[in-house]
Amino acid sequence: MSGSRSTAFGRPREFDIDEALERAMQVFWARGYDGTSLTDLTGAMGITKSSMYAAFGNKEQLFRKAVERYAEGPASYATRALREPTARSVAEAFLRGGVRTTTSPGCPTGCLSVQGALALTEQSRPAHDTLVDWRNDAGVRLEERFRRAIEEGDLSRDADPGRLARFIMTTAFGIAVQAANGLRADELDEIVDTALLAWPT
Amino acid sequence: MSGSRSTAFGRPREFDIDEALERAMQVFWARGYDGTSLTDLTGAMGITKSSMYAAFGNKEQLFRKAVERYAEGPASYATRALREPTARSVAEAFLRGGVRTTTSPGCPTGCLSVQGALALTEQSRPAHDTLVDWRNDAGVRLEERFRRAIEEGDLSRDADPGRLARFIMTTAFGIAVQAANGLRADELDEIVDTALLAWPT
DNA sequence: AGCGTTCTGGACCGATCGGAACTTAAAGCG
DNA sequence: CGCTTTAAGTTCCGATCGGTCCAGAACGCT
């Protein structure tokens, strides 16, 4: 973890490591892991390969850190949504947040967790697995939140938390693909409206 | 279009062009356009690069032909679904078909049209555009079918065909991602059940 | 000043990328 | 039999891939 030590010993870093990571995240977001070369990355980050390797390790570790930054930044709506008071408002906040992030101006369309490494290749396996785990974790957290909602009484005891979580996650993933397909935010919000019609009363 | 001429003039082709295309489709399906190298392709196809170039042109054209084969093969459920008698049964057949194809044993999980080239890179732009067009076309055909259903009276005049089509497409894309995520067919079928609860009465 | 430590820029690495070229092989036809 | 045509197999191409190495530069510390 030498990348975050700010107590300078030796020559100080000449670039902003957060800014560089932000740029790397944007490139991975737009082009995916396989489609992004070191030249793409260092070009966008404004640093040389040696600086990148010294600060982040290698391409694979840089991707992992970019995903972490994505989770805490553009995808932070997911964690925030879990704090909504009812299961239904959790689901709605989750989907609305997905719409906003996948269509945010100045950012690539779509979702890094979906288009970062959906296909599985030899060299993208670590990146692929990272994203599979993250997507599944998100579903599990949603399921646990829905289970709590049943205990709290704002969701019917007949409801299946796992099934609802998988449905919401599916809708969110579909929205990410549609955003990459060029759909506008208002069209995606209509999709959220429609999906929520399936929500148990 | 010299690839399909079977009237032999000159040395006859020693491999089955359909079989080779099938293999190429499978590789693109699993690894995506960017993640697939010519070595991957020719290795799976059992031919050399020169044979591939002579028969299919280049990697990009091979991808296009693989997508066409996918559309007529594994994804043919989409066209068949449109012939269902009612809008609702069209939607259900479309989604059930998606579940079956994205979880078919012996084939890669997920959907070629989604994971073939979701991210946009310099070299994948043609493949990416091909898939964007195809996905949007599928939505348009669904929308037209729903519009016809309104005229035929099996769908309410209050329904919005475009909105419904986008919702069904979104669910189908989400299912493709979930399949790539490792969900089982029965879990995906539950998602279809849930999504159809949003269908207008 | 000298030293240890860390960062920078650029040269360099073997491997692989998509693709072209060239030779050899197998067919029909006169 | 040549002659033409097309496919197969091999070699080679320039470019790029992810990654390493090294000399020099910029700091804190003594």
Side-chain angles (χ1 to χ4, degrees), chain A residues 8-12 36-39 49 53 58-59:
Chain A
F9 226 3
R11 179 172 174 173
T36 301
S37 71
L38 285 187
T39 307
K49 273 194 267 192
Y53 272 85
N58 60 14
K59 184 186 176 185

Side-chain angles (χ1 to χ4, degrees), chain B residues 3-87:
Chain B
S4 56
R5 173 154 63 246
S6 64
T7 59
F9 226 178
R11 179 174 173 173
R13 182 178 289 117
E14 291 180 5
F15 63 94
D16 184 330
I17 197 166
D18 280 334
E19 173 73 15
L21 185 54
E22 172 72 22
R23 304 286 189 88
M25 181 195 76
Q26 296 257 352
V27 178
F28 278 131
W29 188 350
R31 311 187 200 190
Y33 184 83
D34 274 330
T36 302
S37 71
L38 285 186
T39 306
D40 293 333
L41 288 167
T42 53
M45 298 164 90
I47 61 177
T48 61
K49 274 193 271 191
S50 34
S51 298
M52 193 282 278
Y53 273 87
F56 299 101
N58 60 14
K59 184 186 175 185
E60 177 188 325
Q61 294 172 41
L62 175 59
F63 182 79
R64 272 207 357 256
K65 282 166 185 157
V67 169
E68 286 173 19
R69 185 179 177 87
Y70 184 77
E72 293 163 7
S76 59
Y77 68 85
T79 311
R80 271 197 310 277
L82 296 174
R83 294 197 284 267
E84 289 288 322
T86 68

Side-chain angles (χ1 to χ4, degrees), chain B residues 116-181:
Chain B
L118 193 54
L120 177 59
T121 70
E122 283 182 36
Q123 57 263 32
S124 79
R125 173 175 286 279
H128 177 267
D129 291 349
T130 296
L131 293 187
V132 168
D133 289 345
W134 184 33
R135 291 192 298 255
N136 284 332
D137 278 358
V140 168
R141 288 202 303 271
L142 217 46
E143 177 178 349
E144 288 168 350
R145 179 63 184 84
F146 292 159
R147 185 167 291 123
R148 200 188 88 196
I150 292 179
E151 291 169 11
E152 292 173 352
D154 76 86
L155 186 58
S156 162
R157 294 218 166 259
D158 297 335
D160 182 336
R163 183 171 162 163
L164 284 176
R166 286 188 290 273
F167 171 68
I168 295 298
M169 291 303 297
T170 301
T171 304
F173 294 149
I175 284 171
V177 175
Q178 291 281 40
N181 241 28

Side-chain angles (χ1 to χ4, degrees), chain A residues 29-81:
Chain A
W29 189 351
R31 312 189 199 188
Y33 184 82
D34 274 331
T36 301
S37 71
L38 285 187
T39 307
D40 292 334
L41 288 167
T42 53
M45 298 163 91
I47 61 178
T48 61
K49 273 194 267 192
S50 10
S51 298
M52 193 282 276
Y53 272 85
F56 299 102
N58 60 14
K59 184 186 176 185
E60 176 189 326
Q61 295 172 40
L62 175 58
F63 182 78
R64 272 206 358 256
K65 283 167 185 157
V67 169
E68 287 174 18
R69 185 179 177 88
Y70 184 77
E72 295 163 5
S76 59
Y77 69 85
T79 312
R80 269 197 311 277

Side-chain angles (χ1 to χ4, degrees), chain A residues 88 92 96 188-198, chain B residues 163:
Chain A
R88 191 199 155 92
E92 175 156 8
R96 303 276 181 216
L188 299 178
D189 270 321
E190 276 187 354
I191 291 170
V192 174
D193 296 337
T194 305
L196 288 175
L197 293 177
Chain B
R163 183 171 162 163

